[in-house]
Amino acid sequence: MPARKTKTRLLAALIAGTSILLIAWWAWQSVPGYNIESGYGVIEKAYVNQQSEVMVEVSGQITRLLTDNKEDLQNQKFVIRLPNGQSLLVFHNIIDAEQVPISIHDEVTVRGEYFWTEPGGMVLGTRRDNSAERRHGWIMHQGKKYD
């Protein structure tokens, strides 16, 4: 009889724990900025509507590598051209993430937060974000993810 009570209690604890995890997962999914829209159409729309703080995932070709200035030594900066011709400035925080070994004409996929600027926009937050306020960003280059 005691073994049966132990199994019942274990099963109840397992169900309760699973329920708590599912509720936490659902709540995290509900956080603004968690949803990510992929493709350059999302950025094109955000640019036209002058929207910012949009989580995006987009691929493009590197057209310019920018050097750090004295005020901004913690970011790797480069410009990518999207398939629709739009250019995006990418800021990759190299204090919190590994620097990406890129060259002009390389193809990259970038996940981060889009901010509108007149020249085409920029993407920030291409790194792991442990705050649970948004999904993690990253840069994919030659099959390796840098976050």
Side-chain angles (χ1 to χ4, degrees):
M1 203 70 156
R4 186 174 183 156
K5 280 186 178 182
T6 303
K7 286 182 182 180
T8 303
R9 287 181 183 164
L10 226 76
L11 183 60
L14 182 64
I15 291 171
T18 303
S19 298
I20 290 169
L21 287 174
L22 285 172
I23 290 168
W25 176 81
W26 176 80
W28 189 33
Q29 295 281 340
S30 302
V31 172
Y34 191 86
N35 294 328
I36 296 176
E37 300 186 48
S38 60
Y40 66 86
V42 175
I43 291 177
E44 193 172 53
K45 180 181 171 187
Y47 177 75
V48 168
N49 295 324
Q50 297 185 6
Q51 289 179 295
S52 291
E53 300 180 17
V54 178
M55 284 299 291
V56 297
E57 185 176 313
V58 66
S59 297
Q61 184 180 58
I62 297 174
T63 58
R64 286 185 66 196
L65 301 174
L66 304 171
T67 56
D68 293 332
N69 56 35
K70 291 183 180 181
E71 296 82 37
D72 191 24
L73 298 175
Q74 70 271 10
N75 287 305
Q76 180 179 13
K77 297 177 283 194
F78 55 93
V79 177
I80 63 172
R81 183 168 312 282
L82 304 179
N84 66 350
Q86 183 176 348
S87 291
L88 272 182
L89 176 59
V90 178
F91 285 82
H92 182 60
N93 184 312
I94 54 177
I95 289 176
D96 297 327
E98 184 180 354
Q99 186 161 355
V100 185
I102 52 175
S103 301
I104 292 181
H105 304 298
D106 284 357
E107 292 286 329
V108 292
T109 300
V110 176
R111 177 191 280 179
E113 197 166 6
Y114 173 82
F115 288 86
W116 182 87
T117 64
E118 195 170 318
M122 60 184 172
V123 175
L124 308 170
T126 57
R127 58 170 172 71
R128 181 165 296 281
D129 184 344
N130 295 321
S131 69
E133 292 178 13
R134 65 177 184 82
R135 288 198 75 177
H136 301 300
W138 43 258
I139 296 174
M140 181 72 75
H141 177 254
Q142 296 179 344
K144 183 176 179 188
K145 187 183 287 185
Y146 296 85
D147 64 352

